[in-house]
Amino acid sequence: MTTGLVLSLDAMGGDHAPQSVVDGAALFLKGRRRHVRLLFHGDEALLAPLVARHPGLSAVSEIRHTDSEVDMSAKPSEAVRRSRGSSMWNAVHAIKDGEAQVAVSAGNTGALMAISKVILRMKPGVHRPAIAASWPAPSGYSTVLDVGANVDCTPAMLVEFAVLGEAFHRALRGVERPTVGLLNVGQEELKGSQVIRDADALVRAAGLDMAYRGFIEGDDISAGTTHVVVTDGFTGNVALKTAEGTARLVANWMRSAMTGSLLAKAGAALLSLGALKELRARMDPRNVNGGVFLGLNGVVVKSHGGTDAQGFATSLRIALEMADSAFLSEIETNLARLAAIQDNPDAGAGEPQKESA
Amino acid sequence: MTTGLVLSLDAMGGDHAPQSVVDGAALFLKGRRRHVRLLFHGDEALLAPLVARHPGLSAVSEIRHTDSEVDMSAKPSEAVRRSRGSSMWNAVHAIKDGEAQVAVSAGNTGALMAISKVILRMKPGVHRPAIAASWPAPSGYSTVLDVGANVDCTPAMLVEFAVLGEAFHRALRGVERPTVGLLNVGQEELKGSQVIRDADALVRAAGLDMAYRGFIEGDDISAGTTHVVVTDGFTGNVALKTAEGTARLVANWMRSAMTGSLLAKAGAALLSLGALKELRARMDPRNVNGGVFLGLNGVVVKSHGGTDAQGFATSLRIALEMADSAFLSEIETNLARLAAIQDNPDAGAGEPQKESA
């Protein structure tokens, strides 16, 4: 695209919107040479003065006025019925209209998912979209999905998540053959819930030509044992927030350790000249803020509702990477492979695929 | 008890047993003035020379020989049928026989739970026992249960976990009125699975005279928002291991931050004189190693299977605290209260029963 990429933003979604959205966008643009344009959807009277504060941002932005927004506590079904014309609706619709390549919102997660499904529709072969999160690991990032879209999952849905997540990781991280694991409470096949065991059997039977590693456990996520971690939205959401909480607790401990005594302060000062800053950046959840919706005909990124400008800027960086990547075509290739196996079981491992839904 | 407490140990359970068990016991005894006796169950030919290396331990220990042990990968049902006379079986049986007050094992979790249920029996009113873990929080520790005994939970089981966990926390941590939360993916009542929502309604309807705080999220665990965190065994186990993995990753980052450059090394050296040691100790999962089985007629502590001597020593410390506490009577009081409410629903709400049905 010669005119550069266009990001469509729900400027009114999130606890600190629209300030965090506009300031986040300005932060995101800083030092970026590539031409990117931004569409802000929301209350123009509020947005115009905020955008005007940042001349660089102003030059590449357009405000699309609406005075309707989706309530943070609205039920998804309600949101779909009542949200036509809201900032969230319009932000997603801009993708369908071909005006933008990716939409970003820090608003109500359930509503954003429901609206995205209605407007963009799911890719053929996908029962329910999933949210994928990037998770810090010793070398680079792991991908964890689902982290909140689907509280109850069938084995067939978990197989789809594996297919979606593998394509996502290859597109975003450039790993040719990402390894995939299924989150469980034990590595032995006899452990875990029936759904997980059935999903494991289903992946193996499907013969997906995927580097599937079987069951992994909670401590494997941060260890980076596999590139892609597949789980239901309840477990994934709890795991993600638990990790964030643990990192926050440890950061607080570090802070108090480094301000406890004069000696400690001197030590911390020396460290700050070196690697401490990087360590803090690595531990900051704002630097991995952004869940990507997988399985839709388009790219939608969900920022944490409570994030600030820095966290929102990270979501925009992820959105840009996604829009730039071969993500949608990778997903299509994987889904076509899954469909081929389902239509013609002999194409896979030779075992007929049973769907237990 | 004038002769002091007796701890009964499965000397053969765990990846590094019996070495880690014996060395852990020696570490546990170091500097302890209180009189404690230890029963080691396992292969005498292996155990005798290991125990003999520690004169202090030798003086208070007794080896009970058996050459049978429970396989780490045995199914629970199998373990119960085949494990009579094994080191794990005998360790738990010593409680029933009145020889010991608490049993500790680092062996197969499912087998230990099944054996404990068969030998000690559940307390009246408990459907399934739970495993409670202590979790570091800004001030002291939170209690999280279940962390692995029950993969699938009904709402009624989650209510029992709340009752068990509240009594456990009061007994072990000395908090008069511990707060209790139910782990979910969102604080709004409309979020989460049906089981969790039903459990929430059940706790509220029961009128338990408990400081129940409703739904909490994964990041609340380390924030210490509530004293007791109630969840099913699948989610609890994943959360616990995810937190351990996160702490390990951060510890590795810290290590590399502090050895990266000469300046960083100097800074770290200064810090080591101060609070860094304490920080490292706080982040070491070995220092919170020990899950306590709740709901049985007796106290059984499960150590992590992969732990070393230091981690096993922590489990023994937890076991001693439990044996010393009013834990079993606290649980009985709470269960009696639950039973009274179940028999007479009006008793819970504090209103006199005016009409007989």
Side-chain angles (χ1 to χ4, degrees), chain A:
Chain A
M1 187 165 289
T2 51
T3 56
L5 288 165
V6 183
L7 311 186
S8 174
L9 317 186
D10 169 12
M12 310 310 283
D15 302 343
H16 310 295
Q19 177 97 46
S20 54
V21 172
V22 176
D23 291 354
L27 211 55
F28 158 74
L29 283 179
K30 237 184 218 170
R32 192 167 294 277
R33 259 174 292 176
R34 171 87 180 284
H35 187 61
V36 175
R37 284 200 312 123
L38 301 169
L39 300 182
F40 288 96
H41 301 269
D43 187 338
E44 184 158 24
L46 287 171
L47 289 168
L50 290 173
V51 172
R53 278 191 219 157
H54 308 281
L57 176 64
S58 210
V60 298
S61 299
E62 190 180 322
I63 297 172
R64 299 282 175 90
H65 176 73
T66 172
D67 45 21
S68 145
E69 55 186 276
V70 174
D71 194 74
M72 285 302 271
S73 60
K75 285 192 193 184
S77 52
E78 232 172 72
V80 168
R81 281 198 311 276
R82 299 190 189 174
S83 69
R84 268 159 223 268
S86 67
S87 58
M88 185 186 278
W89 179 279
N90 293 354
V92 175
H93 217 284
I95 304 178
K96 193 179 180 193
D97 296 338
E99 290 197 288
Q101 282 71 49
V102 49
V104 183
S105 173
N108 181 327
T109 308
L112 182 62
M113 182 57 92
I115 285 173
S116 300
K117 274 162 62 183
V118 166
I119 296 176
L120 300 173
R121 304 269 161 207
M122 280 174 278
K123 286 198 173 293
V126 178
H127 284 81
R128 296 281 303 271
I131 306 177
S134 291
W135 195 293
S139 52
Y141 293 91
S142 304
T143 294
V144 181
L145 78 165
D146 177 26
V147 296
N150 307 284
V151 163
D152 293 304
C153 288
T154 62
M157 283 164 68
L158 293 172
V159 175
E160 286 168 22
F161 295 171
V163 166
L164 294 170
E166 202 241 6
F168 170 81
H169 196 88
R170 177 165 40 244
L172 194 67
R173 305 290 170 202
V175 177
E176 188 47 47
R177 209 176 145 75
T179 54
V180 179
L182 195 55
L183 192 59
N184 200 353
V185 293
Q187 278 141 341
E188 304 91 39
E189 273 170 53
L190 54 99
K191 284 187 180 173
S193 72
Q194 196 58 46
V195 170
I196 307 284
R197 282 187 305 231
D198 288 350
D200 177 66
L202 215 52
V203 175
R204 292 180 191 278
L208 275 169
D209 183 30
M210 180 187 279
Y212 177 65
R213 296 281 183 264
F215 296 142
I216 58 168
E217 295 191 66
D219 47 349
D220 287 307
I221 310 177
S222 287
T225 313
T226 59
H227 294 109
V228 180
V229 177
V230 175
T231 184
D232 66 89
F234 188 90
T235 310
N237 186 282
V238 167
L240 185 67
K241 293 204 168 153
T242 300
E244 282 174 10
T246 304
R248 206 170 293 134
L249 178 67
V250 171
N252 286 341
W253 283 344
M254 274 179 59
R255 201 165 302 128
S256 65
M258 289 175 179
T259 53
S261 69
L262 215 59
L263 267 181
K265 276 182 197 157
L270 280 178
L271 268 174
S272 295
L273 299 173
L276 195 62
K277 242 179 158 169
E278 193 197 325
L279 175 62
R280 285 206 177 119
R282 272 175 156 173
M283 284 178 59
D284 190 337
R286 292 176 303 181
N287 294 334
V288 286
N289 173 45
V292 181
F293 290 0
L294 304 187
L296 298 163
N297 292 303
V299 185
V300 177
V301 176
K302 168 68 175 72
S303 158
H304 199 295
T307 202
D308 60 6
Q310 193 187 321
F312 198 81
T314 304
S315 297
L316 293 177
R317 254 171 245 127
I318 291 174
L320 185 63
E321 281 173 15
M322 294 300 301
D324 251 352
S325 75
F327 161 64
L328 287 174
S329 65
E330 283 288 354
I331 293 240
E332 267 159 31
T333 308
N334 268 22
L335 285 173
R337 225 160 57 193
L338 181 61
I341 289 163
Q342 281 165 343
D343 291 345
N344 174 16
D346 292 338
E351 304 248 351
Q353 165 132 347
K354 280 181 212 144
E355 190 154 342
S356 54

Side-chain angles (χ1 to χ4, degrees), chain B residues 321-342:
Chain B
E321 280 173 16
M322 293 301 301
D324 251 353
S325 75
F327 162 63
L328 288 173
S329 65
E330 283 289 353
I331 293 239
E332 266 159 32
T333 307
N334 269 22
L335 285 173
R337 227 162 54 192
L338 182 62
I341 290 163
Q342 281 165 341

Side-chain angles (χ1 to χ4, degrees), chain B:
Chain B
M1 187 165 286
T2 50
T3 56
L5 288 166
V6 182
L7 310 187
S8 174
L9 316 187
D10 169 12
M12 310 310 284
D15 301 342
H16 310 294
Q19 177 98 43
S20 55
V21 172
V22 174
D23 291 354
L27 210 57
F28 158 74
L29 283 179
K30 236 184 220 172
R32 192 166 293 278
R33 257 175 293 175
R34 172 90 181 283
H35 188 60
V36 176
R37 284 200 311 123
L38 300 169
L39 300 182
F40 288 96
H41 301 268
D43 187 337
E44 186 158 24
L46 288 172
L47 289 168
L50 290 173
V51 172
R53 278 191 218 157
H54 308 282
L57 176 65
S58 209
V60 298
S61 298
E62 191 179 323
I63 297 171
R64 299 281 175 90
H65 176 72
T66 173
D67 45 21
S68 146
E69 55 186 275
V70 174
D71 193 74
M72 285 303 271
S73 61
K75 284 194 191 183
S77 53
E78 231 173 70
V80 167
R81 281 200 310 276
R82 298 189 188 174
S83 69
R84 268 157 224 269
S86 67
S87 58
M88 186 186 278
W89 179 279
N90 293 353
V92 175
H93 217 283
I95 305 178
K96 192 179 182 194
D97 296 338
E99 290 196 289
Q101 283 72 49
V102 50
V104 183
S105 173
N108 180 327
T109 307
L112 182 62
M113 181 57 92
I115 285 174
S116 299
K117 275 161 64 182
V118 167
I119 296 177
L120 300 174
R121 305 267 161 209
M122 280 175 276
K123 286 200 172 291
V126 179
H127 285 81
R128 296 280 303 271
I131 307 178
S134 291
W135 194 294
S139 53
Y141 293 92
S142 305
T143 295
V144 180
L145 78 165
D146 177 25
V147 295
N150 308 283
V151 163
D152 292 306
C153 289
T154 62
M157 282 164 70
L158 292 172
V159 175
E160 287 169 22
F161 296 171
V163 165
L164 294 170
E166 202 241 6
F168 170 82
H169 196 87
R170 179 164 41 243
L172 194 67
R173 304 292 170 200
V175 177
E176 188 49 47
R177 208 176 147 72
T179 53
V180 179
L182 196 55
L183 192 58
N184 200 352
V185 293
Q187 277 142 343
E188 305 90 39
E189 273 170 53
L190 54 99
K191 285 188 179 173
S193 72
Q194 197 57 48
V195 170
I196 306 283
R197 283 189 304 233
D198 289 350
D200 178 65
L202 216 53
V203 174
R204 292 180 191 278
L208 276 168
D209 184 31
M210 181 188 278
Y212 177 65
R213 296 280 183 263
F215 295 142
I216 58 168
E217 295 191 66
D219 48 349
D220 286 309
I221 311 178
S222 288
T225 313
T226 59
H227 294 108
V228 180
V229 177
V230 175
T231 185
D232 66 89
F234 188 90
T235 310
N237 186 281
V238 168
L240 185 67
K241 292 203 168 152
T242 299
E244 283 174 10
T246 305
R248 205 171 294 133
L249 178 66
V250 170
N252 286 341
W253 283 344
M254 276 179 58
R255 201 165 303 127
S256 65
M258 290 175 178
T259 52
S261 69
L262 214 62
L263 266 181
K265 277 183 195 156
L270 279 177
L271 268 174
S272 294
L273 300 172
L276 196 62
K277 242 177 156 170
E278 193 195 325
L279 175 62
R280 286 205 176 120
R282 271 176 157 171
M283 284 177 59
D284 190 336
R286 293 177 302 180
N287 294 333
V288 286
N289 172 45
V292 181
F293 289 1
L294 305 187
L296 298 163
N297 293 302
V299 185
V300 176
V301 176
K302 169 66 175 70
S303 160
H304 199 295
T307 201
D308 61 5
Q310 193 187 320
F312 198 81
T314 304
S315 295
L316 294 177
R317 255 172 244 127
I318 291 173
L320 185 63
E321 280 173 16
M322 293 301 301
D324 251 353
S325 75
F327 162 63
L328 288 173
S329 65
E330 283 289 353
I331 293 239
E332 266 159 32
T333 307
N334 269 22
L335 285 173
R337 227 162 54 192
L338 182 62
I341 290 163
Q342 281 165 341
D343 291 347
N344 173 15
D346 291 336
E351 300 205 15
Q353 196 172 14
K354 284 172 188 161
E355 289 172 51
S356 52

